[in-house]
Amino acid sequence: MTFLDRISTGWKAWVLLFVITFGAAAPGVFNLPALDRDESRFAQASKQMLESGDYIRLRYQDELRNKKPAGIHWLQAGSTALFTGAEAKQIWTYRVPSWLGAAFGTLACFWCGIPLIGRRASWLGAALFGATLLLTSEAHISKTDGVLVFLTTLSIGALARLYMRNDQSKRMALLFWTAMGLVFLIKGPVGPMVAAYAGIGAWVWTKATVGKGGDWWKVLLWWPGPLIFVALVLPWFLWIQAATHGEFIKGAVGKDLKDKFTGASEGHGGWPFYHLTHLPAWFFPATLMLAPACVAAWHRLKPRNELGWKWLRDSAAIAAVVFAFLTVLLFALPLLPHPEGTGLMAKTLGTLSTLKTLPAYPALLLAAFWYIAGRDDWKTRWPIGIDGLTDETRAIRFIVAWAALTFVFFELMPTLLSHYILPAYPAMGLLCGYAAVQLMDGVRMPVSRWISLTLFAIGAILLLAVSFPGVAVFYMEETAGDFKTVAASQVLESWTAYRSFPLWLWWVGFALAGFAIVEFARRKDGLAILLAIAASITIGWHVRIFMLPSQVWLQPTETARAALEEVCGVPGDDADCNTVAPQRILALGYAEPSYILTMGTQNLHPPETPLDLPTDTAAYPLVYLVNFEDRKAVPAIADEVANLRAEADRMKLCVTESEPHYALNYSNGDPVNFRAIRFDTGGCPGVSPAE
């Protein structure tokens, strides 16, 4: 028995895979501050569930957050209640579901691949997927994606067993529908769509080549399965619709989902082949096997005779026609005259003219092949038959349908964010594991080997470069010149402490990546994969333990906290000060969600922040957090602060100010110049932090 056989069997196979992702992400869970903006918005809505006891409506302060279903918020609220409580402001408690979800996603990838490509290939593929930078990064961000990839992959694993075994297993059908219901409560239709691309894609592929797709899926129609899905999903949707007076569906579908298809939602656009160009970094270290994975899949799926090549050419022509049709539709529909009124035709054309149609390409492609595959003239012209349709071919079709259709869908979306592509990564990881076993068994792929080696080297160089202190210093110097309220030299002097951080993990990651390249070039593929995984984990630890936590100049809310602490202005920190802390903070020129999450729901930000000092003495002490670099404020921030100081003089209030604190707000690219200003009645108490 080989080393790979030993580690891919028994309980240790599952433990090792879990530890890869769980351990790689652990430092980020505890070391990184709350991120802006999505993470803090998710966590704040979950926090307000605990504070209010309302587990139906989703709120961000006083606003309804009608974007995603409540599933992830229930998990985050539950983990926070378990570890701390509603009053806790530590972000790590909200990250636990994503952390566990990503680790279980690695296990689900292994479980999914076993009936498709075997235990050895599945273990390697899951290990490579579990160490990818994108997965381990999403594992320490309190959003939906860690749990989404776990439940989606679990459902596809059940589907794969039905597909490969064709045993009409009711247990697998129930598992599929349960996972579908749960993932729908996490991120709506994304999970079901990815599972549909895998299952329907493989079925249509078979139908188009042999004339029938098989009836392996019929057990999914067994009534308890869909009933479980409805029982999981429907009650909350009825409750939320009633609680929001019908506003949830309007916000989630009519606004949030629609915005993602009609344009670059919230400015999240990108260049062509956005996700493809991110692969060297986000899919690292699995890039070591990416090119061989493509070649191995092609060798398994390519036509075996002249008739097969003709079928392939026809299929490519049909795919091109479908794509051209959607492209023409995209540009032509807005130019067509639309019927006036509120009739069905007017509404349909109006909706189509605003929606971007290209993301529908994978679904329309499947529909086109399903239609033509059932026509007698297609069957007569291309009677390929079932010769050569082995279980291995069927399995690779399933995985390729899952990976390719999902990848194309997210690549064609107008809204582009790196984590959107994550549900395709388990399939890509399994293909990498499939290729790795072939290489280890002696199959030669010389060209793809060197292409992959290059991709892996590019990814390693990029990750090592951006995590080196010199890069941080370069961006500091570039950013310092953007400040308008202070000289660049003063900003750089205040950032001196952030110019260096420990590099011993960096050097270990550098060495491991180098050894992986050397061993892969020497055809020691198993050792190269283990070294590549170790390199990814080590570089990730360096970034999450030393680099990112040390760069406080890139953490505006933590910089704001430093300013507030100078005047004892953090609510609830009375014990750490020599005087009473305020009940809330009033922010001017700063409104990031991490400020609300970590400082308290009661704190205000523009435009809710009052610009007049209260006359009631019970409102004091009063603390303003001012960003003097805010260039959008009307009137200007400096004028607003001058008015507050003038009011304080008239009211004979004590005014205590912190030193200026500078940072870059990475969420919008703007510099911030914070100063905390505290107003007290009855003289000036000592407000220095207690020693």
Side-chain angles (χ1 to χ4, degrees), residues 204 207-209 211-212 368-376 378-379:
V204 169
K207 180 178 173 63
T209 52
K212 58 182 180 180
F369 275 109
W370 175 81
Y371 171 74
I372 64 174
R375 295 179 59 85
D376 291 338
W378 173 270
K379 297 176 185 177

Side-chain angles (χ1 to χ4, degrees), residues 238-536:
L238 294 177
W239 289 333
I240 189 63
Q241 280 294 93
T244 61
H245 306 290
E247 291 297 314
F248 179 80
I249 297 296
K250 186 185 298 184
V253 179
K255 181 69 172 68
D256 185 59
L257 190 61
K258 182 182 176 183
D259 285 354
K260 287 179 170 60
F261 283 93
T262 56
S265 179
E266 298 183 357
H268 295 306
W271 51 87
F273 304 108
Y274 177 87
H275 294 294
L276 191 65
T277 55
H278 278 76
L279 282 178
W282 286 128
F283 200 54
F284 183 88
T287 46
L288 189 65
M289 288 291 164
L290 187 57
C294 296
V295 171
W298 169 248
H299 284 166
R300 173 49 51 188
L301 299 176
K302 69 178 181 181
R304 304 294 180 186
N305 51 48
E306 183 180 352
L307 193 59
W309 283 107
K310 290 180 180 179
W311 178 88
L312 182 63
R313 287 197 295 270
D314 273 20
S315 298
I318 293 167
V321 168
V322 171
F323 190 83
F325 169 74
L326 284 174
T327 304
V328 171
L329 198 65
L330 172 65
F331 293 102
L333 266 176
L335 304 177
L336 294 176
H338 296 162
E340 296 185 2
T342 58
L344 179 61
M345 181 61 70
K347 289 182 178 179
T348 302
L349 284 176
T351 301
L352 287 176
S353 65
T354 58
L355 288 177
K356 303 297 184 184
T357 54
L358 283 179
Y361 174 68
L364 193 60
L365 189 65
L366 288 178
F369 275 109
W370 175 81
Y371 171 74
I372 64 174
R375 295 179 59 85
D376 291 338
D377 52 348
W378 173 270
K379 297 176 185 177
T380 301
R381 187 173 182 182
W382 309 123
I384 296 177
I386 61 173
D387 293 341
L389 186 59
T390 63
D391 284 346
E392 187 176 354
T393 301
R394 294 175 64 238
I396 300 304
R397 283 181 179 178
F398 184 92
I399 300 174
V400 168
W402 171 10
L405 295 174
T406 304
F407 200 100
V408 169
F409 173 84
F410 287 113
E411 193 72 86
L412 294 177
M413 273 193 67
T415 301
L416 295 166
L417 285 170
S418 297
H419 62 270
Y420 281 3
I421 204 68
L422 186 59
Y425 273 25
M428 295 163 61
L430 291 177
L431 288 177
C432 289
Y434 174 71
V437 169
Q438 291 199 3
L439 288 175
M440 293 165 68
D441 288 343
V443 176
R444 298 180 64 85
M445 304 181 197
V447 176
S448 64
R449 176 183 288 275
W450 288 105
I451 292 173
S452 256
L453 200 61
T454 303
L455 286 175
F456 179 82
I458 291 172
I461 291 169
L462 287 172
L463 295 174
L464 289 166
V466 300
S467 61
F468 193 75
V471 175
V473 171
F474 170 79
Y475 281 111
M476 282 182 195
E477 294 172 349
E478 290 290 309
T479 301
D482 295 336
F483 283 78
K484 303 299 182 185
T485 60
V486 64
S489 58
Q490 189 173 340
V491 174
L492 288 173
E493 184 180 356
S494 72
W495 288 348
T496 301
Y498 314 139
R499 300 172 74 90
S500 63
F501 43 85
L503 284 175
W504 64 272
L505 275 175
W506 188 93
W507 284 110
V508 173
F510 178 89
L512 288 170
F515 287 138
I517 291 172
V518 170
E519 294 304 316
F520 193 66
R522 295 177 58 212
R523 301 185 184 277
K524 302 291 185 180
D525 302 304
L527 179 57
I529 290 172
L530 293 179
L531 288 169
I533 291 171
S536 178

Side-chain angles (χ1 to χ4, degrees), residues 116-136:
L116 293 168
I117 56 176
R119 183 172 290 271
R120 298 166 76 237
S122 294
W123 194 91
L124 286 175
L128 286 166
F129 162 66
T132 54
L133 182 65
L134 183 58
L135 179 68
T136 56

Side-chain angles (χ1 to χ4, degrees), residues 177-190:
W177 283 112
T178 301
M180 283 291 94
L182 294 174
V183 78
F184 201 93
L185 287 173
I186 295 296
K187 205 170 183 176
V190 175

Side-chain angles (χ1 to χ4, degrees), residues 133 155 171 191 205 253 503 578 604 643 676:
L133 182 65
S155 69
R171 185 174 64 173
W205 197 334
V253 179
L503 284 175
N578 291 321
L604 297 183
N643 291 335

